[in-house]
Amino acid sequence: MIGEEELDDIDLLTDEISEESENDGQLYEHFRMEVDKGQVPVRIDKYIVEHQPHSSRNRVQKAAEAGFIQVNGTPVKSNYKVRAGDVITLMLDRPHYDTTIEPEDIPLEVVYEDDDLMVINKPAGMVVHPGCGNFSGTLVNAIAWHLKDLESYDPNDPEVGLVHRIDKDTSGLLVVAKTPDAKTSLGKQFFNKTTHRSYNALVWGNIVEDEGRIEGNIGRDPKDRLRMEVFPPDSEIGKPAVTHYKVMERYGYTTLVECVLETGRTHQIRAHMKHIGHPLFADERYGGTEILRGERTASYKAYIQNCFKLCPRQVLHAKTLGFIHPTTGQQMDFTSDWPEDMTALIEKWRKYIKSK
């Protein structure tokens, strides 16, 4: 996956945020080590990296910031200096599990497929990759089943497979590399921002401008690790992110927009739209399940609740995907229809605004 290192316990902590990773506050031990006798004081982030070959210092620091690195049973910061006899543990909010990906017979909507890649239209509600409480039934399990007769494809080989991700409750297009060369080529295109991705989203409020640009670093919300926050571009907090949006239709109290990504950060559209005061409709994590615009009448409240029931997830769909084919060099462009829940919701809003 773009920007990911080999997955180990610490990498999983800072991997894509899962919508299912909330629990009752219980922590589970993922590794334990005792500092050797005679060890001179050294920062704990440096010490762990030296003793955990697949970890990185940045990820260890993020784990410490989140309170998951403990010494003698007490959370410590990354600048803590370990001493001889210290017992270091990594405590995560999910049990340790086998990361081996097993094929599962799960239906897939394959939009396109050849010897190098395939493009999939993911339904809302499907988790992309195992982790954080979703150890099976994911998109990669389904892909492993679909390609189980292809001897050259190993679902546990990081050199093949999904090139990018979308959130569990976001629907739409994803590309899968069948070969290492295809993944390298596609990965470079995503990294160099030469791919084209557009999303359709229904957001709260009437966006005044017909189009606009949102720039702001995306980083973990310090008050809620399951949510991302937007920080000033010059703050050195989070990662740079840019979203372009264009109004498609207006419904008075909501707006249908097209969003084009310059970058692909976790929850980028969801966090950026909330940042400018227009959270995605029905997006519970970012406040979109509150009635943020409209009337105070009982009939309007009932109408909104019916809308939430019709599409009970953030109204976000990865509509188009474009890239250069890794072998032929041809431009490949794909588009996908809205899923039924989103189509029904948009039609409901169209009828509502006509009635007004």
Side-chain angles (χ1 to χ4, degrees), residues 190-205:
F190 275 87
F191 181 80
N192 293 327
K193 306 173 186 176
T194 58
T195 59
H196 176 84
R197 287 178 289 168
S198 71
Y199 292 72
N200 290 170
L202 183 70
V203 302
W204 275 106

Side-chain angles (χ1 to χ4, degrees), residues 250-285:
R250 302 178 190 275
Y251 310 120
Y253 304 131
T254 58
T255 305
L256 180 66
V257 296
E258 177 189 55
C259 294
V260 176
L261 301 179
E262 272 192 30
T263 54
R265 308 304 182 197
T266 302
H267 295 189
Q268 178 172 321
I269 293 173
R270 300 166 68 187
H272 267 174
M273 296 311 294
K274 176 179 173 58
H275 180 65
I276 65 170
H278 298 281
L280 268 60
F281 190 83
D283 188 350
E284 182 176 8
R285 183 148 329 274

Side-chain angles (χ1 to χ4, degrees), residues 20-35:
E20 298 296 322
S21 61
E22 296 174 277
N23 66 4
D24 57 4
Q26 182 176 359
L27 297 180
Y28 302 86
E29 183 178 308
H30 280 239
F31 76 66
R32 171 184 292 261
M33 65 175 77
E34 184 172 349
V35 180

Side-chain angles (χ1 to χ4, degrees), residues 129-173:
H129 198 281
C132 303
N134 301 286
F135 306 139
S136 63
T138 72
L139 182 62
V140 295
N141 296 113
I143 293 169
W145 178 272
H146 183 82
L147 299 177
K148 67 182 187 302
D149 297 326
L150 185 62
E151 293 184 3
S152 60
Y153 186 86
D154 179 0
N156 295 287
D157 182 356
E159 293 188 349
V160 295
L162 282 167
V163 183
H164 59 122
R165 300 183 180 188
I166 56 179
D167 297 334
K168 171 192 170 186
D169 287 327
T170 299
S171 55
L173 297 172

Side-chain angles (χ1 to χ4, degrees), residues 15-60:
D15 192 19
E16 292 279 358
I17 293 178
S18 168
E19 301 301 317
E20 298 296 322
S21 61
E22 296 174 277
N23 66 4
D24 57 4
Q26 182 176 359
L27 297 180
Y28 302 86
E29 183 178 308
H30 280 239
F31 76 66
R32 171 184 292 261
M33 65 175 77
E34 184 172 349
V35 180
D36 296 332
K37 294 180 180 179
Q39 172 67 47
V40 297
V42 62
R43 283 176 60 111
I44 193 168
D45 52 355
K46 181 179 180 182
Y47 183 86
I48 291 177
V49 168
E50 290 175 349
H51 290 79
Q52 294 288 313
H54 297 307
S55 62
S56 72
R57 194 163 183 175
N58 180 257
R59 292 180 184 269
V60 173

